PDB file of all heavy atoms in Angstrom:
ATOM      1  N   CYS F 495      19.802  15.756   1.401  1.00 96.00           N
ATOM      2  CA  CYS F 495      18.584  15.869   0.595  1.00 96.00           C
ATOM      3  C   CYS F 495      18.759  16.863  -0.550  1.00 96.00           C
ATOM      4  O   CYS F 495      19.129  18.010  -0.321  1.00 96.00           O
ATOM      5  CB  CYS F 495      17.415  16.309   1.483  1.00 96.00           C
ATOM      6  SG  CYS F 495      15.905  16.612   0.551  1.00 96.00           S
ATOM      7  N   PRO F 496      18.494  16.427  -1.772  1.00 96.00           N
ATOM      8  CA  PRO F 496      18.661  17.318  -2.928  1.00 96.00           C
ATOM      9  C   PRO F 496      17.626  18.443  -2.963  1.00 96.00           C
ATOM     10  O   PRO F 496      17.777  19.390  -3.721  1.00 96.00           O
ATOM     11  CB  PRO F 496      18.486  16.369  -4.117  1.00 96.00           C
ATOM     12  CG  PRO F 496      17.664  15.250  -3.601  1.00 96.00           C
ATOM     13  CD  PRO F 496      18.051  15.078  -2.161  1.00 96.00           C
ATOM     14  N   LEU F 497      16.589  18.342  -2.147  1.00 97.00           N
ATOM     15  CA  LEU F 497      15.552  19.382  -2.126  1.00 97.00           C
ATOM     16  C   LEU F 497      15.780  20.395  -1.009  1.00 97.00           C
ATOM     17  O   LEU F 497      15.098  21.417  -0.931  1.00 97.00           O
ATOM     18  CB  LEU F 497      14.167  18.736  -1.942  1.00 97.00           C
ATOM     19  CG  LEU F 497      13.712  17.759  -3.012  1.00 97.00           C
ATOM     20  CD1 LEU F 497      12.379  17.116  -2.626  1.00 97.00           C
ATOM     21  CD2 LEU F 497      13.574  18.454  -4.360  1.00 97.00           C
ATOM     22  N   ALA F 498      16.738  20.114  -0.129  1.00 97.00           N
ATOM     23  CA  ALA F 498      16.865  20.890   1.113  1.00 97.00           C
ATOM     24  C   ALA F 498      17.054  22.386   0.889  1.00 97.00           C
ATOM     25  O   ALA F 498      16.492  23.196   1.631  1.00 97.00           O
ATOM     26  CB  ALA F 498      18.017  20.328   1.943  1.00 97.00           C
ATOM     27  N   LYS F 499      17.807  22.750  -0.133  1.00 97.00           N
ATOM     28  CA  LYS F 499      18.136  24.172  -0.268  1.00 97.00           C
ATOM     29  C   LYS F 499      16.906  25.045  -0.502  1.00 97.00           C
ATOM     30  O   LYS F 499      16.927  26.234  -0.223  1.00 97.00           O
ATOM     31  CB  LYS F 499      19.176  24.397  -1.366  1.00 97.00           C
ATOM     32  CG  LYS F 499      18.671  24.170  -2.780  1.00 97.00           C
ATOM     33  CD  LYS F 499      19.770  24.538  -3.789  1.00 97.00           C
ATOM     34  CE  LYS F 499      19.265  24.343  -5.212  1.00 97.00           C
ATOM     35  NZ  LYS F 499      20.321  24.572  -6.203  1.00 97.00           N
ATOM     36  N   ASN F 500      15.843  24.447  -0.991  1.00 97.00           N
ATOM     37  CA  ASN F 500      14.606  25.206  -1.162  1.00 97.00           C
ATOM     38  C   ASN F 500      13.471  24.688  -0.274  1.00 97.00           C
ATOM     39  O   ASN F 500      12.314  25.019  -0.493  1.00 97.00           O
ATOM     40  CB  ASN F 500      14.146  25.169  -2.611  1.00 97.00           C
ATOM     41  CG  ASN F 500      14.997  26.060  -3.502  1.00 97.00           C
ATOM     42  OD1 ASN F 500      15.405  27.146  -3.099  1.00 97.00           O
ATOM     43  ND2 ASN F 500      15.291  25.593  -4.701  1.00 97.00           N
ATOM     44  N   CYS F 501      13.820  23.880   0.714  1.00 97.00           N
ATOM     45  CA  CYS F 501      12.797  23.288   1.568  1.00 97.00           C
ATOM     46  C   CYS F 501      12.447  24.224   2.716  1.00 97.00           C
ATOM     47  O   CYS F 501      13.310  24.614   3.506  1.00 97.00           O
ATOM     48  CB  CYS F 501      13.289  21.945   2.106  1.00 97.00           C
ATOM     49  SG  CYS F 501      12.176  21.188   3.315  1.00 97.00           S
ATOM     50  N   PHE F 502      11.174  24.575   2.814  1.00 97.00           N
ATOM     51  CA  PHE F 502      10.723  25.493   3.874  1.00 97.00           C
ATOM     52  C   PHE F 502      11.098  24.959   5.253  1.00 97.00           C
ATOM     53  O   PHE F 502      11.633  25.688   6.085  1.00 97.00           O
ATOM     54  CB  PHE F 502       9.209  25.683   3.798  1.00 97.00           C
ATOM     55  CG  PHE F 502       8.642  26.494   4.929  1.00 97.00           C
ATOM     56  CD1 PHE F 502       8.519  27.884   4.817  1.00 97.00           C
ATOM     57  CD2 PHE F 502       8.247  25.876   6.120  1.00 97.00           C
ATOM     58  CE1 PHE F 502       8.020  28.633   5.868  1.00 97.00           C
ATOM     59  CE2 PHE F 502       7.742  26.629   7.175  1.00 97.00           C
ATOM     60  CZ  PHE F 502       7.629  28.006   7.061  1.00 97.00           C
ATOM     61  N   SER F 503      10.824  23.693   5.505  1.00 96.00           N
ATOM     62  CA  SER F 503      11.044  23.143   6.848  1.00 96.00           C
ATOM     63  C   SER F 503      12.529  23.047   7.189  1.00 96.00           C
ATOM     64  O   SER F 503      12.909  23.231   8.339  1.00 96.00           O
ATOM     65  CB  SER F 503      10.387  21.773   6.974  1.00 96.00           C
ATOM     66  OG  SER F 503       8.992  21.909   6.879  1.00 96.00           O
ATOM     67  N   PHE F 504      13.337  22.756   6.197  1.00 97.00           N
ATOM     68  CA  PHE F 504      14.774  22.685   6.457  1.00 97.00           C
ATOM     69  C   PHE F 504      15.302  24.066   6.800  1.00 97.00           C
ATOM     70  O   PHE F 504      16.041  24.248   7.759  1.00 97.00           O
ATOM     71  CB  PHE F 504      15.513  22.125   5.233  1.00 97.00           C
ATOM     72  CG  PHE F 504      16.988  22.073   5.413  1.00 97.00           C
ATOM     73  CD1 PHE F 504      17.558  21.209   6.336  1.00 97.00           C
ATOM     74  CD2 PHE F 504      17.826  22.896   4.657  1.00 97.00           C
ATOM     75  CE1 PHE F 504      18.938  21.166   6.515  1.00 97.00           C
ATOM     76  CE2 PHE F 504      19.206  22.856   4.834  1.00 97.00           C
ATOM     77  CZ  PHE F 504      19.761  21.994   5.768  1.00 97.00           C
ATOM     78  N   LYS F 505      14.860  25.053   6.026  1.00 97.00           N
ATOM     79  CA  LYS F 505      15.351  26.420   6.241  1.00 97.00           C
ATOM     80  C   LYS F 505      14.842  27.018   7.551  1.00 97.00           C
ATOM     81  O   LYS F 505      15.485  27.838   8.168  1.00 97.00           O
ATOM     82  CB  LYS F 505      14.923  27.314   5.061  1.00 97.00           C
ATOM     83  CG  LYS F 505      15.663  26.946   3.767  1.00 97.00           C
ATOM     84  CD  LYS F 505      15.430  27.955   2.660  1.00 97.00           C
ATOM     85  CE  LYS F 505      14.040  27.890   2.095  1.00 97.00           C
ATOM     86  NZ  LYS F 505      13.858  28.735   0.906  1.00 97.00           N
ATOM     87  N   ASN F 506      13.660  26.572   7.975  1.00 95.00           N
ATOM     88  CA  ASN F 506      13.053  27.160   9.186  1.00 95.00           C
ATOM     89  C   ASN F 506      13.029  26.197  10.375  1.00 95.00           C
ATOM     90  O   ASN F 506      12.338  26.442  11.352  1.00 95.00           O
ATOM     91  CB  ASN F 506      11.632  27.618   8.868  1.00 95.00           C
ATOM     92  CG  ASN F 506      11.604  28.742   7.836  1.00 95.00           C
ATOM     93  OD1 ASN F 506      11.907  29.881   8.157  1.00 95.00           O
ATOM     94  ND2 ASN F 506      11.270  28.401   6.607  1.00 95.00           N
ATOM     95  N   GLU F 507      13.776  25.114  10.264  1.00 94.00           N
ATOM     96  CA  GLU F 507      13.849  24.110  11.325  1.00 94.00           C
ATOM     97  C   GLU F 507      12.458  23.654  11.773  1.00 94.00           C
ATOM     98  O   GLU F 507      12.103  23.682  12.946  1.00 94.00           O
ATOM     99  CB  GLU F 507      14.652  24.653  12.518  1.00 94.00           C
ATOM    100  CG  GLU F 507      16.092  24.963  12.121  1.00 94.00           C
ATOM    101  CD  GLU F 507      16.939  25.414  13.323  1.00 94.00           C
ATOM    102  OE1 GLU F 507      16.375  25.546  14.407  1.00 94.00           O
ATOM    103  OE2 GLU F 507      18.139  25.611  13.122  1.00 94.00           O
ATOM    104  N   MET F 508      11.682  23.275  10.795  1.00 95.00           N
ATOM    105  CA  MET F 508      10.289  22.885  11.074  1.00 95.00           C
ATOM    106  C   MET F 508       9.997  21.417  10.764  1.00 95.00           C
ATOM    107  O   MET F 508       8.859  20.973  10.888  1.00 95.00           O
ATOM    108  CB  MET F 508       9.341  23.771  10.244  1.00 95.00           C
ATOM    109  CG  MET F 508       9.205  25.194  10.751  1.00 95.00           C
ATOM    110  SD  MET F 508       8.278  25.252  12.302  1.00 95.00           S
ATOM    111  CE  MET F 508       6.617  24.967  11.681  1.00 95.00           C
TER     112      MET F 508
END
Side-chain angles (χ1 to χ4, degrees):
Chain F
C495 175
L497 299 175
K499 70 175 181 185
N500 286 322
C501 174
F502 174 91
S503 294
F504 178 67
K505 291 190 288 188
N506 296 284
E507 298 184 356
M508 286 289 285

